[in-house]
Amino acid sequence: MSTDTEIPIHPLFAEMIRCTAERDLDGLVDLYHPEAEWIRFTGPVRGRDEIRDLLKRYWELDLQHVDMNEFIQTDDTVMMRGTMIVRGETVVTFGVYVLRDGKIWRQCGADEGGTRDWWA
């Protein structure tokens, strides 16, 4: 995360960044509610098993967190915009997360470059 301007970040998202940086797949999957749904333009992903499979595929792309550009939260909803490196390409991503029981229950997001198949 950038140290130029400190953005107060929900502990769950600080843990998400740590898990991604350390390639802790189990830790990352544990941040999701058992009934989680991740809504994507290419189709929804439901439950921890499907989310685990998708995250494994994303990690094949050599994802690297660069910066948390914007972050806002209410009691149970978080909206963020961040910069990542995907396959050597700098990408700005955005997402909305709804929390339940301290876990990610609903997630939607994409990158600002539009829908693309990173595995094509």
Side-chain angles (χ1 to χ4, degrees):
M1 182 168 17
S2 172
T3 56
D4 296 341
T5 44
E6 287 300 318
I7 299 169
I9 186 169
H10 191 285
L12 184 97
F13 290 87
E15 182 65 6
M16 180 183 283
I17 291 168
R18 184 203 65 77
C19 289
T20 300
E22 296 178 8
R23 298 293 193 249
D24 178 1
L25 183 60
D26 290 334
L28 190 56
V29 171
D30 187 53
L31 299 177
Y32 287 85
H33 190 279
E35 298 169 7
E37 289 188 17
W38 183 344
I39 295 89
R40 305 165 58 239
F41 288 121
T42 55
V45 179
R46 295 185 174 96
R48 284 182 172 163
D49 290 341
E50 288 185 20
I51 288 170
R52 173 184 295 280
D53 290 344
L54 179 61
L55 289 170
K56 276 190 210 177
R57 292 189 70 208
Y58 274 124
W59 281 0
E60 293 169 4
L61 302 174
D62 191 27
L63 295 178
Q64 298 170 41
H65 172 79
V66 175
D67 196 9
M68 181 69 67
N69 306 100
E70 297 179 274
F71 186 93
I72 188 166
Q73 66 188 46
T74 64
D75 291 337
D76 68 349
T77 306
V78 171
M79 185 168 70
M80 59 73 61
R81 194 171 152 270
T83 302
M84 299 187 77
I85 296 175
V86 183
R87 286 186 148 174
E89 179 181 342
T90 300
V91 177
V92 177
T93 63
F94 60 90
V96 175
Y97 304 79
V98 179
L99 308 180
R100 178 185 272 180
D101 303 325
K103 306 279 185 181
I104 299 167
W105 178 60
R106 296 291 185 262
Q107 173 180 345
C108 62
D111 65 71
E112 292 183 354
T115 303
R116 51 182 123 177
D117 184 356
W118 289 104
W119 299 278

